[in-house]
Amino acid sequence: MTIGRVNPVPPSLWKTTACWFAHHLSREQIKPSMSKGERISQFVAELTAEDVDPNQTDIARHPFYRAFFQCWNEQRYYEAHDVLEQLWMNTSTNDDHFFKGLIQAAGAFVHLQKNFEHPTHPKHSRRLQPAVRLFGLAERNLSTFPPQHHGLNVVALCQLLRSCADQIAASDYKTNPWSPENAPKLELDLR
């Protein structure tokens, strides 16, 4: 089952949801004392078009976990990172390294995306080395888990991370393997 396409955000809402974590909220979109966790809960509710139960105990069915994959598949890596970080910080499980690895993988793709969008920018043009470092950290954190964990094919994700890092390193950190057309999708198997 491809999670990223289960409840896609309608185009009419792209502008309002796309900027949740870019600090571009209008005064009407945010209440004065809304915490980051509350903003993310509201974002996930709008993203998934369902009630958000942050106390869901089945990680594979947790709305924040599923929202991570939806954001990832929509190439919204920064939002994917923030959504999963909230789950990680507010859940007591043995999955700390799993969540950390997924967050690092999303962070690496933030670097690749920014580099692709702004290849000559002074900051974004130097994002390939940090991406490779994050790919390595993510792979190390994820590789300690079973091949299939919370519906995710961990082996396939680790192979993707290694492949991206190897391609960048082989180009002497000059070629970005990511583009919107070949952006990887992550699927969950929730059977």
Side-chain angles (χ1 to χ4, degrees), residues 21 36 40 77-87:
F21 303 107
K36 183 175 181 179
I40 290 173
Y77 305 110
Y78 188 84
E79 290 86 348
H81 161 281
D82 265 358
V83 165
L84 196 60
E85 187 177 62
Q86 285 299 306
L87 177 59

Side-chain angles (χ1 to χ4, degrees), residues 89-142:
M89 292 172 22
N90 295 303
T91 306
S92 179
T93 70
N94 294 325
D95 290 312
D96 286 351
H97 289 284
F98 180 70
F99 294 145
K100 191 174 183 180
L102 291 176
I103 289 166
Q104 289 165 329
F109 278 97
V110 168
H111 285 301
L112 296 187
Q113 187 176 45
K114 293 290 186 188
N115 176 267
F116 178 87
E117 293 169 349
H118 310 284
T120 60
H121 185 276
K123 179 180 178 182
H124 300 317
S125 64
R126 297 188 313 249
R127 288 184 176 257
L128 296 181
Q129 286 184 332
V132 170
R133 279 193 299 274
L134 280 173
F135 283 134
L137 291 170
E139 184 180 6
R140 277 191 293 283
N141 278 308
L142 293 168

Side-chain angles (χ1 to χ4, degrees), residues 118-174:
H118 310 284
T120 60
H121 185 276
K123 179 180 178 182
H124 300 317
S125 64
R126 297 188 313 249
R127 288 184 176 257
L128 296 181
Q129 286 184 332
V132 170
R133 279 193 299 274
L134 280 173
F135 283 134
L137 291 170
E139 184 180 6
R140 277 191 293 283
N141 278 308
L142 293 168
S143 65
T144 63
F145 288 88
Q148 189 81 11
H149 191 67
H150 294 309
L152 177 66
N153 184 334
V154 176
V155 172
L157 178 56
C158 287
Q159 289 170 344
L160 168 71
L161 302 177
R162 172 63 24 224
S163 174
C164 288
D166 288 349
Q167 287 176 54
I168 295 168
S171 75
D172 197 27
Y173 299 89
K174 291 179 176 59

Side-chain angles (χ1 to χ4, degrees), residues 6-58:
V6 173
N7 292 312
V9 176
S12 62
L13 293 178
W14 284 356
K15 186 167 182 118
T16 59
T17 59
C19 63
W20 268 94
F21 303 107
H23 307 291
H24 295 109
L25 294 174
S26 70
R27 292 187 190 278
E28 298 81 38
Q29 290 174 303
I30 189 168
K31 68 181 188 179
S33 62
M34 187 182 277
S35 70
K36 183 175 181 179
E38 290 171 321
R39 287 192 311 273
I40 290 173
S41 290
Q42 185 176 345
F43 170 75
V44 170
E46 290 176 9
L47 187 68
T48 61
E50 60 186 63
D51 289 332
V52 173
D53 177 9
N55 299 316
Q56 168 68 260
T57 57
D58 180 358

Side-chain angles (χ1 to χ4, degrees), residues 63-81:
F64 286 27
Y65 184 71
R66 292 189 347 253
F68 170 86
F69 292 96
Q70 183 172 345
C71 288
W72 177 289
N73 290 336
E74 292 173 357
Q75 300 170 21
R76 296 165 68 174
Y77 305 110
Y78 188 84
E79 290 86 348
H81 161 281

